[in-house]
Each structure stands twice: as C-alpha cells, then as structure tokens.
Amino acid sequence: MASDHDNLIGSITRRNLVAATTVVVAALASRAAHAGQYDAHNGQYDPDADRGFGGHDHGHDHGHGYGHCYLRGTAILTPCGEREISELQIGDPVITYSGQPKPIKWIGHRRLQRDDGDWPAELMPVKLLASALDDDIPHRELFLSPCHAIYIDGQLIPAGALINGHTIVVPRTHVKVLEYFHIELFVPDVIYAEGVPTETFLPFMARRTFDNRQEYEDLYGTEQSIVRAPFAPTVPGLRARFQLRSRLRSAVSPWWDIRTPFDITRDHIEARAERLSGGA
C-alpha cells in the first residue's frame, strides 16, 4: 500500500513539474518569436505576421485570443435531439444547462483557409476524445477552439487549458480549411456539445471576426455596446503565468494542498486520462 501511495505521489509531482517546464519553455519560445518578428520588420512589430494570415485580420479578438467556437460537425443538443451545428438557424431552440430550451439569437460563422494547413496554435482546434471528462462525456470526439470554455465544477475553463496529451489533445493532421461556428442566446448560458456543457457566445468586440457579422447588424443594429456577464466565473487558464503557478501548486499538493478549484478539476481530468491510457 505504501508503495502504491508513493507511486501516486511521484506521478502527480512528476506530471506537474514536467508540465511546468513545458510552460516555461513555450513562453520563452513565444517571446523569442515575437522579438524576431519585431526585428524583421525594421523595428515595427507586425501583428499580422504572428497571425499567419498574410495581412488579413481573421479571428483576432481584443484580449480574448482567437475566439470561442465549435468546429463544423459538432452536435448540439436541442429539444428534438442532437443537431449538427451548421444546420441550426436563428430562432431554433437549444437545451441549456438548466434543462430549459432557449432560442438562438444569432450564429456566428467563419471559414479560414491555409494551403499548407500549418495553423497557429491559437486557431488549431482542441480535440476531446470520448469520455475525456467523465463516462460518455463527451460521447464522441469534440473539437473546440482553444479559448472556448467548458463548464466544469462551477467554472468556465478554456479547452486549451485542459490539454493533457492523452484524452485532450491538439490534432496532428494538417487541414487546409477550418470552419468555426458559435451560438449566441439572448442571455449568456451553457449548452451541450457532444454531451459537454459549453459556453455560448459572450458579446464583445470579437463579433467582427465572423464572416457574417453584417447579418447581426442587419437584425439587431449596434446594440452590442451592452456588456453581459458570463454564465459563471471564467478561468484565465491560457495565460502562461497562471499555468505555471497552477502546476507548481499541484506539484506540491501531496504535502501542502493549496490548489484552486481549477487546479483540482484539471488534476482529476489528467488522472482520469492516465487511467484510460494505461498510465499510473
């Protein structure tokens, strides 16, 4: 029994220290890349170079990464069962976290294309394998943009903050086209995508990143100066400093447990991933 306990402690500490090192390396690499772009443009930083879209502003949000979206093919729960997101229309009801159906106010859509399929990390979808979060949740593969939040344990957690290399991963395949959709209700809420509770669109300036933004203005004008609160507290899980501190808290948790609710949630998901993959 003592040996099993020691192995568990070793696994928790090792996993989080490795992850913390990865965070530091990634942050340094990102800083070096940005510095290189600055130098390469005669002292002028070119944000389009970082986006990788040849000068076009596709999907960059003001302080919100590259948006919060579902990939085409995602099944959304409605009163009539699950429906593929691209088939939904304004006014169609979807099932919310309370169990009540609510009508769709607007559906944002954007189509992105790169001939080499080499997408920036901010745009490449995160793939959740079946049962990554719990038994049959999701009930099949779910693809979300890294910033799209999942509602777990009373928190909205970006999908990208839960990548573990086993059950929540970034696909290795290179696709030339990404088609993203997002659903807006009249009040921010949580809906079910492949059985996973996920956030609806929270109105902010990023509406302009969608190809059909004019449709919204034609329907509702410029009313979106209104700021609405999210359904639940949002975890800033994609920030490097936040990730590093979280990993260090988890690494020492067998001896001194000062983990936050997010740390505990992520640790449970990663422990599940190790079990499912035949690890510790």
Side-chain angles (χ1 to χ4, degrees):
M1 292 296 292
S3 178
D4 290 343
H5 180 67
D6 291 342
N7 288 338
L8 177 61
I9 290 176
S11 175
I12 293 171
T13 303
R14 182 170 56 253
R15 181 177 72 233
N16 283 287
L17 288 178
V18 168
T21 302
T22 301
V23 169
V24 172
V25 171
L28 291 175
S30 177
R31 179 174 297 181
H34 281 72
Q37 288 161 3
Y38 186 92
D39 294 339
H41 290 83
N42 299 317
Q44 298 296 317
Y45 174 67
D46 181 4
D48 290 325
D50 192 36
R51 294 171 195 162
F53 286 107
H56 297 288
D57 183 14
H58 288 280
H60 189 74
D61 305 342
H62 294 275
H64 294 271
Y66 281 79
H68 313 59
C69 306
Y70 306 95
L71 202 62
R72 174 184 281 274
T74 301
I76 303 296
L77 185 61
T78 76
C80 299
E82 292 186 324
R83 294 181 60 190
E84 200 272 317
I85 193 167
S86 67
E87 298 176 354
L88 294 173
Q89 299 180 11
I90 292 173
D92 287 347
V94 291
I95 299 297
T96 60
Y97 189 75
S98 68
Q100 297 299 312
K102 296 182 181 179
I104 294 174
K105 179 179 182 180
W106 184 66
I107 301 176
H109 169 250
R110 58 182 173 176
R111 185 179 188 276
L112 305 173
Q113 182 170 343
R114 283 191 64 139
D115 291 338
D116 60 4
D118 187 16
W119 296 98
E122 294 87 350
L123 281 173
M124 195 64 184
V126 174
K127 179 171 73 172
L128 286 78
L129 275 62
S131 298
L133 303 178
D134 206 339
D135 293 344
D136 203 36
I137 302 177
H139 45 248
R140 71 179 187 117
E141 291 180 352
L142 170 63
F143 294 85
L144 300 172
S145 57
C147 290
H148 198 124
I150 301 168
Y151 183 62
I152 314 175
D153 299 334
Q155 313 160 84
L156 287 170
I157 302 175
L162 297 174
I163 293 171
N164 56 47
H166 297 292
T167 58
I168 303 177
V169 300
V170 176
R172 295 180 180 275
T173 54
H174 290 258
V175 295
K176 294 184 178 181
V177 175
L178 292 174
E179 284 191 83
Y180 279 119
F181 295 80
H182 208 346
I183 293 175
E184 180 177 0
L185 305 185
F186 285 88
V187 175
D189 212 314
V190 165
I191 59 177
Y192 292 90
E194 307 294 356
V196 175
T198 55
E199 67 170 347
T200 60
F201 181 74
L202 182 66
F204 49 71
M205 291 296 290
R207 194 184 304 284
R208 69 182 180 85
T209 68
F210 291 102
D211 298 339
N212 61 330
R213 55 192 176 276
Q214 187 60 48
E215 176 190 47
Y216 183 91
E217 294 180 8
D218 292 342
L219 289 169
Y220 304 107
T222 57
E223 67 171 17
Q224 273 331 126
S225 56
I226 302 172
V227 177
R228 296 188 182 277
F231 179 81
T234 301
V235 175
L238 296 179
R239 298 176 183 173
R241 184 173 297 178
F242 178 94
Q243 293 180 37
L244 179 59
R245 290 173 175 173
S246 172
R247 289 297 182 177
L248 294 177
R249 287 192 297 266
S250 289
V252 302
S253 64
W255 303 277
W256 185 32
D257 196 348
I258 55 172
R259 293 176 298 171
T260 67
F262 165 74
D263 303 337
I264 295 170
T265 295
R266 188 213 44 236
D267 289 348
H268 284 167
I269 292 172
E270 291 189 349
R272 176 180 178 81
E274 287 188 347
R275 292 195 302 270
L276 292 177
S277 63

